[in-house]
Amino acid sequence: SWSQAPELRVVSGGLKSEGFDRAQRAYVLKNSEAAKPGKAEFELAADADSPVHNLCLFIKGWNSEEAVVSLDGKTLTKQDGLRLGVLPTLTGTDLVVWIEKKSSRPVRVVLTPDRA
């Protein structure tokens, strides 16, 4: 799926897509808000020619230690194949989200920062 990655479209929230980075095999998004972003929602236009296979997101400037991740309306946990990683930077934190998922149909992802 990384060679024909489906298009990612931001539906709502303060994240801007910087596209799919083939070298990282991840979608790169950037927080366009000054501090922690609010709830962000986006859609991947997966189909038979551009399927989703183990989705990876790299979010620059996430600035929160945690995130709640929902996929197609279901809140994910580690048991569902969700992995999160936080990378400290000089100006805040970045977030890496990895979701074990195979689909040849569109999927919707919702990210909500931990406000604690």
Coordinates of all heavy atoms in Angstrom, one line a residue, residues 20-75:
F20 N 1.9 12.0 1.8 CA 2.5 10.7 2.2 C 4.0 10.7 1.9 O 4.4 11.0 0.8 CB 1.8 9.6 1.4 CG 2.3 8.2 1.8 CD1 1.8 7.6 2.9 CD2 3.2 7.5 1.1 CE1 2.2 6.4 3.3 CE2 3.6 6.2 1.5 CZ 3.1 5.7 2.6
D21 N 4.8 10.4 2.9 CA 6.2 10.3 2.8 C 6.6 8.9 2.5 O 6.6 8.1 3.5 CB 6.9 10.9 4.0 CG 8.4 10.9 3.9 OD1 9.0 10.3 3.0 OD2 9.1 11.6 4.7
R22 N 7.0 8.5 1.3 CA 7.3 7.2 1.0 C 8.6 6.7 1.7 O 8.6 5.5 2.1 CB 7.6 7.0 -0.5 CG 6.3 7.2 -1.3 CD 6.6 7.2 -2.8 NE 6.1 5.9 -3.3 CZ 6.3 5.5 -4.6 NH1 7.0 6.3 -5.4 NH2 5.8 4.4 -5.0
A23 N 9.5 7.5 2.0 CA 10.7 7.1 2.8 C 10.3 6.7 4.2 O 10.9 5.7 4.7 CB 11.7 8.3 2.8
Q24 N 9.4 7.4 4.8 CA 8.9 7.0 6.2 C 7.8 6.0 6.1 O 7.5 5.4 7.1 CB 8.5 8.2 6.9 CG 9.5 9.2 7.2 CD 9.0 10.3 8.1 OE1 8.6 10.1 9.3 NE2 8.9 11.5 7.5
R25 N 7.2 5.9 5.0 CA 6.0 5.0 4.8 C 4.9 5.5 5.8 O 4.2 4.7 6.4 CB 6.3 3.6 4.9 CG 7.2 3.1 3.9 CD 7.5 1.6 3.9 NE 8.4 1.2 2.9 CZ 8.8 0.0 2.6 NH1 8.4 -1.0 3.4 NH2 9.7 -0.2 1.7
A26 N 4.8 6.8 5.8 CA 3.8 7.4 6.8 C 3.2 8.7 6.2 O 3.8 9.4 5.4 CB 4.5 7.8 8.1
Y27 N 2.0 9.0 6.6 CA 1.4 10.3 6.3 C 1.9 11.3 7.3 O 1.9 11.0 8.5 CB -0.2 10.2 6.4 CG -0.8 9.3 5.4 CD1 -1.0 7.9 5.6 CD2 -1.2 9.8 4.1 CE1 -1.6 7.1 4.6 CE2 -1.7 9.0 3.2 CZ -1.9 7.7 3.4 OH -2.5 6.9 2.5
V28 N 2.3 12.4 6.8 CA 2.9 13.5 7.6 C 1.8 14.6 7.7 O 1.3 15.1 6.7 CB 4.2 14.0 7.0 CG1 4.7 15.2 7.9 CG2 5.2 12.9 6.9
L29 N 1.5 14.9 9.0 CA 0.5 16.0 9.2 C 1.2 17.0 10.2 O 2.1 16.6 10.9 CB -0.7 15.5 9.9 CG -1.5 14.5 9.0 CD1 -1.5 13.1 9.6 CD2 -2.9 15.0 8.8
K30 N 0.7 18.2 10.2 CA 1.3 19.2 11.0 C 0.2 20.0 11.8 O -0.8 20.3 11.2 CB 2.1 20.2 10.2 CG 2.8 21.3 11.0 CD 3.7 22.1 10.2 CE 4.5 23.1 11.1 NZ 5.4 24.0 10.3
N31 N 0.4 20.2 13.1 CA -0.5 20.9 13.9 C -0.4 22.4 13.5 O 0.7 23.0 13.6 CB -0.2 20.7 15.4 CG -1.0 21.5 16.3 OD1 -2.1 22.0 15.9 ND2 -0.6 21.7 17.5
S32 N -1.5 23.0 13.0 CA -1.4 24.4 12.6 C -1.9 25.3 13.7 O -2.0 26.5 13.5 CB -2.3 24.6 11.4 OG -3.7 24.2 11.7
E33 N -2.2 24.7 14.9 CA -2.6 25.5 16.1 C -1.4 25.8 16.9 O -0.4 25.1 16.9 CB -3.7 24.8 16.8 CG -4.9 24.6 16.0 CD -6.0 23.9 16.7 OE1 -6.0 23.7 18.0 OE2 -7.0 23.5 16.1
A34 N -1.5 26.9 17.8 CA -0.4 27.3 18.6 C 0.0 26.3 19.7 O 1.2 26.1 19.9 CB -0.7 28.7 19.2
A35 N -0.9 25.7 20.3 CA -0.6 24.8 21.4 C -1.1 23.4 21.0 O -0.9 22.9 19.9 CB -1.3 25.2 22.7
K36 N -1.8 22.7 21.9 CA -2.3 21.4 21.6 C -3.4 21.5 20.6 O -4.2 22.5 20.6 CB -2.9 20.8 22.9 CG -2.0 20.3 23.9 CD -2.7 19.7 25.0 CE -1.8 19.3 26.2 NZ -2.5 18.7 27.3
P37 N -3.5 20.6 19.6 CA -4.6 20.7 18.7 C -5.9 20.2 19.3 O -5.9 19.5 20.3 CB -4.1 19.7 17.6 CG -3.3 18.7 18.3 CD -2.6 19.5 19.4
G38 N -7.0 20.6 18.7 CA -8.2 20.0 19.1 C -8.5 18.7 18.4 O -7.6 18.1 17.8
K39 N -9.7 18.2 18.5 CA -10.1 17.0 17.8 C -9.8 17.2 16.3 O -10.2 18.2 15.8 CB -11.5 16.8 18.1 CG -12.1 15.6 17.4 CD -13.6 15.4 17.9 CE -14.3 14.3 17.1 NZ -15.7 14.2 17.5
A40 N -9.2 16.2 15.7 CA -9.0 16.3 14.3 C -9.5 15.0 13.6 O -9.4 13.9 14.2 CB -7.5 16.3 14.0
E41 N -10.1 15.2 12.5 CA -10.8 14.1 11.8 C -10.3 14.1 10.3 O -10.2 15.2 9.7 CB -12.3 14.3 11.8 CG -13.1 13.1 11.2 CD -14.6 13.3 11.5 OE1 -15.0 14.2 12.3 OE2 -15.3 12.5 10.9
F42 N -10.0 12.9 9.8 CA -9.6 12.8 8.4 C -10.0 11.5 7.8 O -10.4 10.6 8.5 CB -8.1 13.1 8.2 CG -7.2 12.3 9.1 CD1 -6.7 11.0 8.6 CD2 -6.8 12.7 10.3 CE1 -5.9 10.3 9.4 CE2 -6.0 11.9 11.1 CZ -5.5 10.7 10.6
E43 N -10.0 11.5 6.5 CA -10.5 10.3 5.7 C -9.4 9.8 4.8 O -8.7 10.7 4.1 CB -11.7 10.7 5.0 CG -12.5 9.6 4.4 CD -13.8 10.1 3.8 OE1 -13.8 10.7 2.8 OE2 -14.8 9.8 4.5
L44 N -9.2 8.5 4.7 CA -8.3 8.0 3.7 C -9.2 7.3 2.6 O -10.1 6.5 2.9 CB -7.5 6.9 4.3 CG -6.4 7.5 5.2 CD1 -6.0 6.5 6.3 CD2 -5.2 7.8 4.3
A45 N -9.0 7.8 1.3 CA -9.8 7.3 0.2 C -9.2 6.0 -0.3 O -8.8 5.9 -1.5 CB -9.8 8.4 -0.9
A46 N -9.3 5.0 0.5 CA -8.7 3.6 0.1 C -9.7 3.0 -0.9 O -10.9 3.1 -0.9 CB -8.6 2.7 1.3
D47 N -9.1 2.2 -1.9 CA -9.8 1.4 -2.8 C -9.0 0.2 -3.2 O -7.9 0.0 -2.6 CB -10.3 2.2 -4.0 CG -9.2 2.8 -4.8 OD1 -8.0 2.3 -4.8 OD2 -9.4 3.8 -5.5
A48 N -9.4 -0.6 -4.1 CA -8.7 -1.8 -4.5 C -7.3 -1.5 -5.0 O -6.3 -2.2 -4.8 CB -9.5 -2.6 -5.5
D49 N -7.1 -0.3 -5.7 CA -5.8 0.0 -6.3 C -4.9 0.7 -5.3 O -3.7 0.8 -5.5 CB -6.0 1.0 -7.5 CG -6.7 0.2 -8.7 OD1 -6.5 -1.0 -8.8 OD2 -7.5 0.9 -9.4
S50 N -5.5 1.3 -4.3 CA -4.8 2.1 -3.2 C -5.3 1.7 -1.9 O -6.0 2.4 -1.2 CB -4.9 3.6 -3.4 OG -4.4 4.0 -4.6
P51 N -5.0 0.5 -1.4 CA -5.5 0.0 -0.1 C -4.8 0.6 1.1 O -3.7 1.1 0.9 CB -5.3 -1.5 -0.2 CG -4.1 -1.6 -1.0 CD -4.1 -0.5 -2.1
V52 N -5.4 0.5 2.2 CA -4.8 0.8 3.5 C -4.2 -0.5 4.0 O -4.9 -1.5 4.0 CB -5.8 1.4 4.5 CG1 -5.1 1.4 5.9 CG2 -6.2 2.7 4.1
H53 N -2.9 -0.5 4.4 CA -2.3 -1.7 5.0 C -1.4 -1.2 6.1 O -0.3 -0.7 5.8 CB -1.6 -2.5 3.9 CG -1.0 -3.8 4.5 ND1 -1.7 -5.0 4.2 CD2 0.0 -4.1 5.2 CE1 -1.0 -5.9 4.8 NE2 0.0 -5.4 5.4
N54 N -1.8 -1.3 7.3 CA -1.1 -0.8 8.5 C -0.7 0.7 8.4 O 0.3 1.0 8.0 CB 0.2 -1.7 8.7 CG -0.2 -3.1 9.0 OD1 -1.3 -3.4 9.5 ND2 0.7 -4.0 8.7
L55 N -1.7 1.5 8.7 CA -1.6 2.9 8.6 C -0.7 3.5 9.6 O -0.7 3.2 10.8 CB -3.0 3.4 8.9 CG -3.3 4.9 9.0 CD1 -2.9 5.6 7.7 CD2 -4.7 5.2 9.4
C56 N 0.2 4.4 9.1 CA 1.2 5.1 10.0 C 1.0 6.6 9.7 O 1.0 7.1 8.6 CB 2.6 4.7 9.7 SG 3.8 5.4 10.8
L57 N 0.9 7.4 10.9 CA 0.8 8.8 10.8 C 1.9 9.5 11.6 O 2.2 9.0 12.7 CB -0.6 9.3 11.5 CG -1.8 8.6 10.9 CD1 -3.0 8.8 11.9 CD2 -2.1 9.1 9.5
F58 N 2.5 10.5 11.1 CA 3.5 11.3 11.8 C 3.0 12.7 12.0 O 2.8 13.4 11.0 CB 4.8 11.3 11.1 CG 5.9 12.0 11.8 CD1 6.5 11.6 12.9 CD2 6.3 13.3 11.3 CE1 7.5 12.3 13.6 CE2 7.3 14.0 11.9 CZ 7.9 13.5 13.1
I59 N 2.7 13.1 13.2 CA 2.1 14.4 13.4 C 3.1 15.3 14.1 O 3.4 15.1 15.2 CB 0.8 14.3 14.2 CG1 -0.2 13.4 13.5 CG2 0.2 15.6 14.5 CD1 -0.9 12.4 14.3
K60 N 3.5 16.3 13.3 CA 4.4 17.3 13.8 C 3.7 18.3 14.8 O 2.6 18.8 14.4 CB 5.1 18.1 12.7 CG 5.9 17.3 11.7 CD 6.3 18.2 10.6 CE 7.1 17.4 9.5 NZ 7.5 18.3 8.4
G61 N 4.3 18.6 15.9 CA 3.8 19.6 16.8 C 2.5 19.2 17.5 O 1.6 20.0 17.8
W62 N 2.4 17.9 17.8 CA 1.2 17.4 18.5 C 1.0 18.0 19.9 O 0.0 18.4 20.3 CB 1.2 15.9 18.6 CG 0.0 15.3 19.2 CD1 0.0 14.6 20.4 CD2 -1.3 15.2 18.7 NE1 -1.3 14.2 20.7 CE2 -2.1 14.5 19.6 CE3 -1.9 15.7 17.6 CZ2 -3.5 14.3 19.5 CZ3 -3.3 15.5 17.4 CH2 -4.0 14.8 18.3
N63 N 2.2 18.1 20.6 CA 2.2 18.8 21.8 C 1.3 18.3 22.9 O 0.7 19.1 23.7 CB 2.0 20.4 21.7 CG 3.1 20.9 20.8 OD1 4.2 20.5 20.8 ND2 2.7 21.9 20.0
S64 N 1.1 17.0 22.9 CA 0.4 16.3 24.0 C 1.0 15.0 24.2 O 1.6 14.4 23.2 CB -1.1 16.2 23.5 OG -1.8 15.5 24.6
E65 N 1.0 14.5 25.4 CA 1.7 13.2 25.6 C 0.9 12.0 25.2 O 1.5 10.9 25.0 CB 2.0 13.1 27.1 CG 3.0 14.1 27.6 CD 4.3 13.9 27.0 OE1 4.8 12.8 26.9 OE2 4.9 15.0 26.6
E66 N -0.4 12.1 25.0 CA -1.2 11.0 24.6 C -2.2 11.4 23.5 O -2.4 12.6 23.2 CB -2.0 10.5 25.8 CG -1.1 9.8 26.8 CD -0.5 8.5 26.4 OE1 -1.2 7.8 25.6 OE2 0.6 8.2 26.9
A67 N -2.9 10.4 23.0 CA -4.0 10.7 22.0 C -5.0 9.6 22.1 O -4.7 8.4 22.4 CB -3.5 10.8 20.6
V68 N -6.3 9.9 21.9 CA -7.4 8.9 21.8 C -7.6 8.8 20.3 O -7.7 9.8 19.6 CB -8.6 9.4 22.5 CG1 -9.8 8.4 22.2 CG2 -8.4 9.6 24.0
V69 N -7.5 7.6 19.8 CA -7.6 7.3 18.3 C -8.9 6.5 18.1 O -9.1 5.4 18.7 CB -6.4 6.6 17.8 CG1 -6.5 6.4 16.3 CG2 -5.1 7.4 18.1
S70 N -9.7 7.0 17.1 CA -10.9 6.2 16.7 C -10.8 5.9 15.2 O -10.3 6.8 14.4 CB -12.2 7.0 16.9 OG -12.4 7.2 18.3
L71 N -11.2 4.7 14.8 CA -11.2 4.3 13.4 C -12.6 3.9 13.1 O -13.1 2.9 13.7 CB -10.1 3.2 13.2 CG -10.0 2.7 11.8 CD1 -9.3 3.7 10.9 CD2 -9.2 1.4 11.8
D72 N -13.2 4.5 12.1 CA -14.5 4.2 11.7 C -15.5 4.1 12.8 O -16.3 3.3 12.9 CB -14.6 2.9 10.8 CG -13.9 3.1 9.5 OD1 -13.8 4.2 9.0 OD2 -13.3 2.1 9.0
G73 N -15.4 5.1 13.8 CA -16.3 5.2 14.9 C -15.9 4.3 16.1 O -16.6 4.4 17.1
K74 N -14.9 3.5 16.0 CA -14.5 2.7 17.2 C -13.2 3.2 17.8 O -12.2 3.4 17.1 CB -14.3 1.2 16.7 CG -13.8 0.3 17.8 CD -13.5 -1.1 17.3 CE -13.1 -1.9 18.6 NZ -12.4 -3.1 18.2
T75 N -13.3 3.4 19.1 CA -12.1 3.9 19.8 C -11.1 2.7 19.9 O -11.5 1.6 20.4 CB -12.4 4.4 21.2 OG1 -13.3 5.5 21.1 CG2 -11.2 4.8 22.0

